[in-house]
């Protein structure tokens, strides 16, 4: 089963994933992320830092996804494991369709065509949503901002995420990322447990 966590920079994905690790340890999920921890992922990070042109960037992210699928996601799914990915294809559909706006006539259709036939769609996607100002306030102040982290870009990316969620309501679970951290984590962990069909028997208190 493939679960993905999505949201704009500063939406709290990483701390959610950290929290899930404690709560779902009995299910032994494979935790992973995009851009991945492979040499392709390193090239993607380098490309982001050097601000390559948006088509190159989109194709590098897609290449990273292909490597991620082949080396980690597909084998784990074949073994019947639960895979939890911090960012996945919807990151491209949200971020790159904004970055490619004005560069290509139909960025989202192009991105979907690039993935068609080989990607594995997630079973469930948790989308963390919050006001962009709140997300930006959470980003470390000392960090050099990536070009994705401008307020205007993030607003457009979040709108795109919400449009994707609206298109596929049965796959997306939209979460108010301003909610209490522990509560969000408990909710997502419970949802994943239900999806996996192995809900732990509740202890009486
Ligand atoms: P990530 O490593 O998740 O961010 P962080 O620096 O907060 O750990 O991702 C780096 C950036 O890359 C982030 O701004 C989102 C962007 N991104 C895309 O634009 N497209 C993609 O397909 C992916 C996976 C990430």
């Amino acid at each position: 089963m493939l679960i993905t966590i999505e949201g704009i920079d500063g939406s709290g994905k990483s701390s959610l994933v950290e929290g899930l690790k404690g709560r779902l340890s009995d299910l032994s999920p494979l935790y992973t992320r995009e851009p991945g921890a492979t040499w392709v992922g390193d090239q993607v990070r380098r490309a982001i830092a050097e601000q390559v042109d948006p088509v190159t960037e989109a194709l590098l992210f897609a290449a990273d996804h292909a490597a991620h699928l082949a080396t980690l996601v597909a084998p784990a799914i074949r073994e019947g494991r639960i895979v939890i990915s911090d960012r996945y294809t919807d990151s491209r559909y949200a971020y790159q369709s904004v970055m490619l706006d004005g560069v290509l006539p139909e960025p989202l259709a192009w991105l979907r065509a690039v993935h068609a036939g080989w990607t594995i769609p997630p079973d469930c996607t948790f989308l963390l949503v919050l006001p962009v100002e709140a997300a930006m306030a959470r980003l470390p102040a000392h960090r050099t901002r990536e070009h994705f982290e401008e307020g205007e870009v993030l607003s457009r990316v979040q709108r795109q995420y919400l449009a994707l969620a609206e298109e596929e309501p049965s796959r997306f679970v939209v979460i108010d990322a301003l909610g209490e951290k522990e509560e969000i984590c408990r909710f997502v962990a419970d949802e994943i447990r239900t999806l996996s069909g192995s809900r732990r028997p509740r202890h009486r208190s």
Side-chain angles (χ1 to χ4, degrees):
M1 189 177 69
L2 175 59
I3 307 287
T4 61
I5 318 272
E6 296 280 358
I8 56 173
D9 300 67
S11 59
K13 290 179 296 88
S14 312
S15 74
L16 170 59
V17 171
E18 280 312 304
L20 291 177
K21 287 183 182 168
R23 289 178 180 270
L24 296 174
S25 53
D26 58 309
L27 300 178
S28 317
L30 170 72
Y31 293 96
T32 183
R33 57 175 303 163
E34 290 188 4
T38 61
W39 67 267
V40 192
D42 292 340
Q43 298 315 304
V44 174
R45 283 188 203 91
R46 198 172 140 193
I48 299 172
E50 291 183 11
Q51 299 217 16
V52 295
D53 85 279
V55 174
T56 307
E57 186 172 81
L59 291 171
L60 280 169
F61 276 121
D64 174 62
H65 178 59
H68 183 219
L69 264 185
T71 58
L72 281 172
V73 179
I77 287 175
R78 272 199 299 274
E79 283 171 20
R81 287 184 72 184
I82 298 174
V83 177
I84 301 180
S85 188
D86 179 350
R87 297 200 181 283
Y88 196 75
T89 303
D90 294 303
S91 281
R92 250 123 22 242
Y93 293 172
Y95 282 83
Q96 272 61 58
S97 59
V98 169
M99 305 315 290
L100 290 168
D101 185 29
V103 178
L104 298 175
E106 284 187 64
L108 183 57
W110 182 81
L111 287 162
R112 284 185 163 142
V114 167
H115 288 76
W118 57 273
T119 191
I120 300 176
D123 297 291
C124 180
T125 298
F126 294 94
L127 173 61
L128 294 168
V129 173
L130 78 176
V132 169
E133 305 73 53
M136 290 189 66
R138 286 181 182 181
L139 295 174
H142 60 269
R143 201 170 84 177
T144 345
R145 289 272 157 89
E146 287 163 358
H147 57 291
F148 303 116
E149 296 175 354
E150 312 285 336
E152 172 57 22
V153 173
L154 289 184
S155 306
R156 294 176 62 201
V157 169
Q158 182 153 269
R159 278 204 294 277
Q160 190 62 38
Y161 266 132
L162 289 168
L164 294 168
E166 212 164 291
E167 216 177 279
E168 266 185 277
S170 58
R171 172 164 70 89
F172 277 88
V173 179
V174 179
I175 293 175
D176 173 8
L178 288 183
E180 215 265 311
K181 216 165 109 176
E182 272 300 300
E183 207 173 298
I184 295 176
C185 187
R186 187 168 42 78
F187 171 77
V188 173
D190 283 353
E191 289 284 302
I192 294 175
R193 208 171 272 291
T194 308
L195 286 166
S196 75
S198 62
R199 192 169 251 280
R200 229 188 329 211
R202 284 187 189 278
H203 294 292
R204 259 181 260 150
S205 51

